[in-house]
């Protein structure tokens, strides 16, 4: 009789998917990894791991008596403000996710974990709980709206088919394997190389940053406890871009004089995520930014980014 949980992971070659795959195997789970390019999955010979080719539009392969599917695969536009990307985002992140959830129910998979975004909340919120207003008009509207639509679709499907649906609304995730674009990778590269970093808008841009391994840990806790519903996955603290630059400088040993602040400090960005629900129900205890950066530095991959 099978005792270990069997987990299906889509997007297993992605940044978060790769960390989740390793964490699940480390905990003795069986993992069926679904990936568009299976050759990119490292350590392919790990016990308990099976790999299948899959991408949006494909039928869900037969995965046996899997306990849960963690759906991380998503379409992320290179230009978040391009309206031409909207149809592609909605097709993949909402409609194809709905189809996948239906196929999971057909195979008797008991739980569908949908990875969404914590940036769907209204910018009026300062600490966003799961029942806060969602209205992603600040930026990346086409992408964020498609993730919110995906949440609604899979939850409605779960209600009608008896499928437990868990929605994880992620803050801005960082850590080993992350993409090289964006504020944090830019700060790390430049400060680690002894180059000047220019912090725009007076350093007041704020964002909740969560370490990738904490995201993986919470997802596995949700699977272990079969916890349905919506959970915020952040730290509960929005850090300013100036704070982030200083934290990185300390980790890489860069002189703080390399940090140059330009512009007027006008608060903007995204709300911190209220993590009380995940903390109370699932025992979620995320690392603060300084501790997450230190953990990343210990891996020896702090300056390595995917392309």
């Amino acid at each position: 009789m099978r005792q270990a949980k069997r987990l299906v992971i889509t997007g297993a070659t992605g940044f978060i998917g790769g960390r989740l795959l390793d964490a699940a195997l480390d905990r003795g789970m069986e993992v069926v990894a679904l990936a568009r390019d299976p050759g990119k999955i490292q350590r392919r010979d790990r016990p308990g791991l099976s790999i299948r080719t899959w991408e949006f539009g494909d039928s869900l392969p037969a995965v046996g008596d899997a306990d849960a599917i963690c759906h991380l695969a998503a379409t992320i536009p290179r230009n978040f403000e391009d309206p031409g990307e909207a149809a592609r985002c909605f097709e993949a992140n909402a409609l194809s996710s709905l189809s996948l959830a239906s196929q999971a129910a057909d195979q008797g998979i008991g739980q569908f974990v949908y990875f969404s975004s914590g940036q769907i909340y209204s910018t009026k919120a300062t600490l966003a709980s799961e029942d806060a207003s969602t209205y992603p008009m600040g930026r990346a509207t086409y992408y964020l709206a498609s993730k919110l639509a995906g949440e609604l679709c899979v939850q409605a499907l779960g209600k009608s088919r008896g499928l437990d649906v868990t929605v994880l609304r992620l803050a801005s995730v960082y850590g080993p394997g992350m993409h090289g674009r964006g504020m944090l990778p830019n700060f790390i590269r430049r400060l680690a190389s002894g180059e000047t970093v220019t912090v725009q808008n007076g350093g007041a841009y704020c964002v909740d940053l969560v370490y990738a391994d904490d995201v993986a840990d919470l997802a596995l806790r949700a699977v272990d406890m079969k916890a349905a519903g919506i959970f915020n996955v952040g730290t509960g603290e929005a850090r300013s871009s100036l704070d982030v630059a200083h934290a990185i400088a300390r980790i890489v040993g860069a002189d703080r004089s390399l940090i140059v602040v330009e512009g007027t400090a006008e608060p903007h960005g995204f709300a911190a995520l209220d993590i009380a629900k995940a903390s109370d129900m699932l025992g979620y205890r995320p690392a603060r930014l300084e501790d997450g950066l230190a953990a990343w530095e210990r891996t020896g991959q702090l300056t390595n980014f995917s392309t």
Side-chain angles (χ1 to χ4, degrees), residues 159-180:
K159 184 177 181 180
S160 65
R161 297 290 302 278
L163 174 67
D164 287 330
V165 173
T166 306
V167 173
L168 301 182
R169 290 178 175 168
L170 310 186
S172 292
V173 186
Y174 69 95
M178 76 178 296
H179 201 281

Side-chain angles (χ1 to χ4, degrees), residues 10-148:
T10 73
T13 60
F15 160 42
I16 302 171
R19 303 303 289 181
L20 178 61
L21 185 154
D22 285 340
L25 292 172
D26 288 344
R27 297 187 189 193
M29 292 182 172
E30 297 178 9
V31 175
V32 180
L34 305 184
R36 181 172 54 190
D37 185 357
K40 291 184 178 180
I41 295 179
Q42 300 177 356
R43 301 171 65 190
R44 298 164 58 86
D45 58 346
R46 291 195 64 178
L49 174 63
S50 61
I51 303 170
R52 311 282 180 82
T53 302
W54 177 89
E55 61 180 312
F56 283 120
D58 291 349
S59 296
L60 177 66
V63 292
D65 54 342
D67 296 284
I69 180 167
C70 285
H71 183 39
L72 291 111
T75 288
I76 302 175
R78 291 194 65 84
N79 181 355
F80 283 104
E81 308 311 319
D82 180 2
E85 296 279 1
R88 207 163 62 90
C89 287
F90 274 87
E91 178 62 37
N93 301 334
L95 298 179
S96 291
S97 296
L98 173 62
S99 176
L100 184 66
S102 179
Q103 293 173 62
D106 290 341
Q107 291 196 30
I109 298 174
Q111 185 178 10
F112 191 91
V113 184
Y114 181 82
F115 285 70
S116 186
S117 174
Q119 296 179 347
I120 64 172
Y121 293 109
S122 167
T123 55
K124 294 180 180 179
T126 54
L127 182 64
S129 64
E130 287 82 356
D131 58 359
S133 172
T134 56
Y135 200 75
M137 275 296 295
R139 62 178 293 273
T141 298
Y142 310 113
Y143 168 72
L144 293 173
S146 75
K147 296 300 287 185
L148 179 56

Side-chain angles (χ1 to χ4, degrees), residues 244-286:
V244 173
H246 285 160
I248 292 170
R250 286 192 291 272
I251 289 296
V252 303
D255 194 304
R256 291 177 61 175
S257 65
L258 293 172
I259 302 169
V260 177
V261 181
E262 290 186 351
T264 303
E266 297 180 359
H268 66 295
F270 296 98
L273 301 185
D274 186 340
I275 58 173
K277 182 178 178 181
S279 177
D280 293 345
M281 292 183 61
L282 302 176
Y284 173 59
R285 301 289 186 272

